[in-house]
Amino acid sequence: MKKFNLKEEEICGYTVSKEMKQVWNIELEIVKKIDKICKENKINYTLCGGSLLGAIRHKGFIPWDDDIDIAMLRNDYEKFLEIAKKEFKKPYFVQDYRTEKNYYYGHAQIRNSNTTAFILGDEMNEFNHGIFVDIFPFDNLPDNLIKRFFFVKKISHIKKDILRIIYQNKSHGIKYILKKIYIKVFCLNEKKLINKLNKIVTKYNKKRTKQVGAIGFKPEDFSYETSWFEKYEYLDFENFQFKCTKDYDEWLTRQYGNYMLIPKNKNGSSHGTVYFDPQKKYTEYNKNIIIKKMYDDLNK
């Protein structure tokens, strides 16, 4: 197998730095392990989002992307996490709301704890900030559109309450006071809310529905056909092969439209501004210095 190229390279008119190649390589090592666990335990997954698009259009990373996204139906997701917690050894860490005290997102991340990936807006949260791969659980959406509307709204409301607690100290003046009053009046507790959220998102999983979604992460995002999680194939991704839905054309068309068209505006990933260091552990950084650097880079 050809060795992954770690040199700076221009791809589709975009310069991929040596450092970003090192970040990609760390992520690829994580996905290779994920794929191995899934093969050995008959767990289905598919690359999704920009990673699925990258597999089809670039046979690897989108040159201006910085991460790998994976989707699993909830049953596969829960089975995978139970096994992954035993199989991933240090420096790797399986991060979700059950393994990380201050982590309240509706999906899991596999982190390399000996590296750094500070996301702007998230950098002060006290949890593992190593370079990561995202794993999204997909849950059933009710077929009845009225039920779906209220179901999604309820999930969105709980997520907003969780964020109010997490980011209350980032507010100032009247906003800070109003958040404090709201949290106290409604007796909000982040641990209770995250448990409530994860109970609600699985409400319709006991019966088959036509569509699913990453509703624990983005409740109001577009939906996916349940049938897209039935047939898979291995596709080239850099110098490896990873599992993808066979219905990638329908999936990507719904998400991106004419997905084979190279955009003129080559933006980064959906995470926004990220400070990476593939060779230094996140705990060795002064976060205040990193925040200033990220904001300075953003304002250039």
Side-chain angles (χ1 to χ4, degrees), residues 42-299:
K42 297 181 180 179
I43 296 170
N44 283 320
Y45 76 88
T46 176
L47 297 184
C48 65
S51 301
L52 181 60
L53 174 57
I56 303 304
R57 195 172 69 192
H58 303 275
K59 296 190 182 300
F61 287 96
I62 297 173
W64 42 95
D65 199 3
D66 59 24
D67 75 335
I68 298 178
D69 296 321
I70 289 173
M72 296 179 184
L73 291 178
R74 175 66 67 170
N75 285 344
D76 283 319
Y77 174 83
E78 296 295 347
K79 182 179 178 181
F80 169 79
L81 289 186
E82 281 303 308
I83 298 168
K85 288 169 190 174
K86 300 170 187 174
E87 293 293 325
F88 274 100
K89 309 296 183 185
K90 289 183 179 180
Y92 298 107
F93 176 60
V94 180
Q95 183 181 55
D96 79 338
Y97 75 98
R98 290 161 290 200
T99 62
E100 184 83 274
K101 183 181 177 182
N102 298 306
Y103 185 85
Y104 301 112
Y105 299 106
H107 68 292
Q109 295 179 310
I110 311 294
R111 301 264 190 177
N112 182 322
S113 304
N114 286 343
T115 63
T116 298
F118 285 121
I119 300 174
L120 190 62
D122 222 12
E123 69 288 331
M124 293 308 290
N125 287 335
E126 296 298 326
F127 55 63
N128 190 307
H129 289 281
I131 291 171
F132 58 89
V133 168
D134 285 317
I135 305 177
F136 298 97
F138 277 59
D139 295 291
N140 290 5
L141 288 160
D143 293 331
N144 182 289
L145 295 182
I146 296 174
K147 285 185 178 179
R148 181 181 297 196
F149 175 81
F150 287 107
F151 178 59
V152 168
K153 284 296 179 185
K154 187 173 186 178
I155 293 168
S156 297
H157 182 73
I158 295 170
K159 285 187 69 67
K160 284 177 183 176
D161 279 345
I162 292 169
L163 292 175
R164 282 189 182 100
I165 297 171
I166 295 171
Y167 297 112
Q168 61 182 299
N169 293 326
K170 290 193 175 185
S171 302
H172 302 282
I174 190 67
K175 281 188 177 180
Y176 175 79
I177 295 168
L178 289 173
K179 278 187 179 180
K180 282 286 188 183
I181 293 170
Y182 181 89
I183 291 165
K184 191 166 185 178
V185 168
F186 290 97
C187 302
L188 299 184
N189 175 284
E190 61 267 39
K191 190 169 285 187
K192 288 181 181 178
L193 284 170
I194 195 69
N195 286 329
K196 183 179 179 181
L197 175 67
N198 282 280
K199 185 177 180 180
I200 290 172
V201 294
T202 61
K203 181 179 178 180
Y204 292 94
N205 286 0
K206 289 183 180 179
K207 64 176 183 177
R208 183 181 173 87
T209 59
K210 292 178 181 177
Q211 294 185 325
V212 295
I215 51 179
F217 177 63
K218 288 186 177 180
E220 296 174 343
D221 200 4
F222 58 89
S223 55
Y224 304 74
E225 302 304 311
T226 305
S227 61
W228 295 350
F229 288 84
E230 293 176 354
K231 296 178 182 178
Y232 302 87
E233 61 184 316
Y234 273 86
L235 297 175
D236 292 336
F237 194 94
E238 298 304 335
N239 298 323
F240 308 100
Q241 285 196 325
F242 298 128
K243 190 179 279 190
C244 299
T245 173
K246 280 192 173 182
D247 292 302
Y248 62 80
D249 180 64
E250 292 178 67
W251 182 311
L252 293 174
T253 299
R254 182 174 296 180
Q255 189 168 2
Y256 299 106
N258 184 4
Y259 61 87
M260 293 303 289
L261 184 68
I262 302 292
K264 291 181 181 178
N265 184 18
K266 299 175 175 64
N267 292 318
S269 77
S270 61
H271 298 114
T273 302
V274 188
Y275 181 85
F276 287 109
D277 190 331
Q279 298 178 350
K280 187 174 178 180
K281 193 171 183 177
Y282 66 94
T283 53
E284 297 176 21
Y285 276 97
N286 181 319
K287 290 183 182 179
N288 292 321
I289 294 174
I290 296 303
I291 292 168
K292 185 179 184 304
K293 176 173 174 49
M294 285 196 287
Y295 274 110
D296 288 345
D297 291 344
L298 193 64
N299 294 323

